[in-house]
């Protein structure tokens, strides 16, 4: 079982190294976490997100483990998106190429798991949400939280050991893997002691506030960028200004002593 876990982690590293040669985007070291498919927190997502939110066993009857990974963007991608109202081209390219990477890597991992005698299923990286409610029936980052990869920021991002600038993927399998321990504390400075709030100040469309996110205002901004970046081919419905140049962009933010 542990041998198989190591194999999965090596396959992910190798796949990303190979995929990096095909496009412009590079990624930092991926973070990988494991959750039990029957972890009761999955059922609680029906309350936190929506009653139609899926359970791992809705995708795979024999599911034992939800494998989650976080693919961090590089400094070059993050820095490119720091200034101005609109998203940088590099941020748009990173979005498109990371979605492609997640979908291809999940297919690859699924095949490898099946050829080792296990079952596997996955959900696409994005564009799998209800366009009116702007809510998905499978929240990758909530699964990643359950799998111990991080905690949520005031900006609604999953903050991981490598920050929040990056994308999340999940794959569900019948392979049993020891679950990853979750953080036993908040990582967002605002949630720790009410400080920071920098992400709210950085929002370029008045979508993010301390008391919540106006998903429709945010989506409006994403579509505006999608239109400006239409030369990229695929839809780059991006923004991400509330993720860059903030204390949680690339790592766990440090609490300033009193
Ligand atoms: C719909 C959607 C949107 C909508 C709504 C965003 C939102 N905040 O809800 C719109 C179009 C506005 C949007 C915008 C963006 N998105 Co978007 N989006 C999604 C999508 C498809 C579904 C998210 C969803 O269902 N939201 C509804 C809410 C209720 O769920 P949630 O935010 O996922 O999780 C929350 C709850 O679970 C809640 N919660 C409350 N209590 C509890 C208790 C427990 C126990 C748990 C576990 C959770 C929990 O906290 C979580 C965080 O708010 C996901 C891909 C996917 N299928 O997961 C990507 C995703 C969330 N987006 C992502 C990104 C990066 C963006 C943008 C930065 C755009 C960009 N790429 O430049 C912006 C950021 C906006 C922001 N500040 O949140 C990434 C986030 C990566 C990360 N580090 O967290 C995701 C995960 C895509 C991916 N595969 O990586 N997005
Ligand atoms: S910028 Fe500050 S308040 Fe916003 S999520 Fe990051 S640590 Fe939390
Ligand atoms: S992604 Fe852009 S519009 Fe949406 S909350 Fe962040 S800064 Fe605001």
């Amino acid at each position: 079982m542990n041998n198989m876990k190591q194999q999965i982690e090596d396959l992910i590293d190798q796949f990303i190294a190979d995929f990096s040669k095909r496009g412009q985007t590079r990624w930092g070291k991926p973070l990988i976490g494991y959750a039990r498919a029957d972890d009761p927190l999955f059922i609680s997502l029906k309350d936190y997100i929506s009653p139609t939110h899926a359970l791992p066993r809705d995708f795979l009857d024999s599911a034992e483990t939800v494998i989650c990974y976080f693919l961090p963007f590089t400094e070059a991608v993050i820095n490119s998106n720091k200034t101005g109202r609109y998203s940088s081209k590099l941020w748009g390219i990173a979005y498109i190429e990371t979605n492609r990477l997640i979908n291809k890597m999940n297919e690859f991992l699924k095949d490898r798991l099946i050829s080792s005698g296990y079952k596997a299923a996955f959900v696409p990286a994005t564009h799998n949400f209800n366009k009116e409610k702007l809510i998905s029936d499978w929240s990758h980052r909530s699964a990643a939280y359950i799998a111990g990869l991080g905690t949520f920021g005031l900006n609604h991002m999953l903050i991981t050991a490598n920050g929040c600038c990056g994308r999340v993927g999940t794959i569900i399998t019948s392979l049993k893997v020891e679950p990853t321990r979750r953080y036993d504390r908040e990582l967002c400075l605002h949630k720790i002691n009410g400080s920071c709030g920098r992400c709210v100040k950085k929002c370029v469309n008045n979508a993010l506030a301390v008391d919540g996110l106006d998903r429709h205002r945010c989506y409006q901004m994403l579509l505006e960028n999608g239109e400006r970046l239409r030369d990229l081919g695929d839809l780059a419905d991006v923004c991400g200004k509330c993720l860059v140049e903030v204390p949680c962009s690339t790592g766990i933010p440090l609490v300033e002593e009193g």
Side-chain angles (χ1 to χ4, degrees):
M1 184 170 103
N2 279 336
N3 179 30
M4 198 58 207
K5 177 175 178 256
Q6 190 56 53
Q7 271 186 46
I8 289 170
E9 297 183 2
D10 293 344
L11 286 171
I12 290 178
D13 282 344
Q14 191 52 49
F15 193 91
I16 295 171
D18 292 343
F19 200 87
S20 299
K21 294 177 196 147
R22 296 195 220 163
Q24 291 186 44
T25 310
R26 304 287 176 269
W27 294 271
K29 177 112 181 107
L31 297 174
I32 304 163
Y34 305 85
R36 280 174 52 156
D38 61 359
D39 190 311
L41 283 186
F42 283 110
I43 295 180
S44 74
L45 295 179
K46 288 184 180 288
D47 296 326
Y48 291 127
I49 298 182
S50 89
T52 55
H53 195 276
L55 296 173
R57 289 186 181 149
D58 293 334
F59 298 104
L60 186 70
D61 284 346
S62 55
E64 290 290 346
T65 305
V66 180
I67 306 173
C68 301
Y69 52 85
F70 176 75
L71 306 175
F73 289 160
T74 56
E75 294 276 350
V77 171
I78 299 168
N79 290 341
S80 75
N81 202 34
K82 276 184 181 170
T83 54
R85 173 173 170 78
Y86 298 106
S87 283
S88 69
K89 197 171 165 187
L90 270 188
W91 186 269
I93 294 171
Y95 168 82
I96 292 171
E97 292 188 343
T98 312
N99 284 344
R100 235 175 254 161
L101 162 61
I102 291 176
N103 291 336
K104 293 275 175 219
M105 188 161 77
N106 280 350
E107 278 171 28
F108 169 78
L109 289 173
K110 181 179 165 181
D111 288 350
R112 285 306 185 97
L113 282 160
I114 290 172
S115 60
S116 300
Y118 301 99
K119 293 200 169 117
F122 62 84
V123 195
T126 192
H127 297 156
N128 52 347
F129 58 92
N130 178 314
K131 295 279 181 317
E132 273 159 33
K133 293 187 187 157
L134 299 176
I135 289 181
S136 168
D137 277 342
W138 180 258
S139 164
H140 291 292
R141 58 182 165 194
S142 301
Y145 166 85
I146 299 172
L149 282 183
T151 69
F152 296 110
L154 183 62
N155 59 2
H156 296 254
M157 293 294 116
L158 182 81
I159 302 175
T160 71
N162 289 342
C164 63
C165 290
R167 297 186 70 73
V168 184
T170 49
I171 177 153
I172 298 164
T173 174
S174 61
L175 168 73
K176 271 193 189 178
V177 181
E178 184 75 21
T180 309
R181 265 188 76 162
R182 282 191 277 273
Y183 285 92
D184 55 8
R185 64 175 186 99
E186 295 288 355
L187 304 178
C188 164
L189 298 175
H190 188 84
K191 294 199 176 175
I192 295 171
N193 58 18
S195 70
C196 190
R198 187 145 168 81
C199 48
V200 171
K201 294 191 195 96
K202 287 217 67 191
C203 178
V204 286
N205 208 32
N206 289 327
L208 183 64
V210 169
D211 56 3
L213 171 79
D214 181 333
R215 288 198 281 269
H216 291 275
R217 281 197 73 89
C218 180
Y219 193 40
Q220 192 185 52
M221 191 64 220
L222 269 52
L223 291 178
E224 207 177 321
N225 279 311
E227 190 50 38
R228 293 173 68 91
L229 296 170
R230 62 181 176 280
D231 290 353
L232 298 181
D234 289 5
L235 175 66
D237 45 349
V238 292
C239 172
K241 297 290 176 181
C242 55
L243 283 63
V244 296
E245 226 179 1
V246 295
C248 56
S249 296
T250 56
I252 295 175
L254 295 175
V255 183
E256 280 182 26
E257 296 297 325

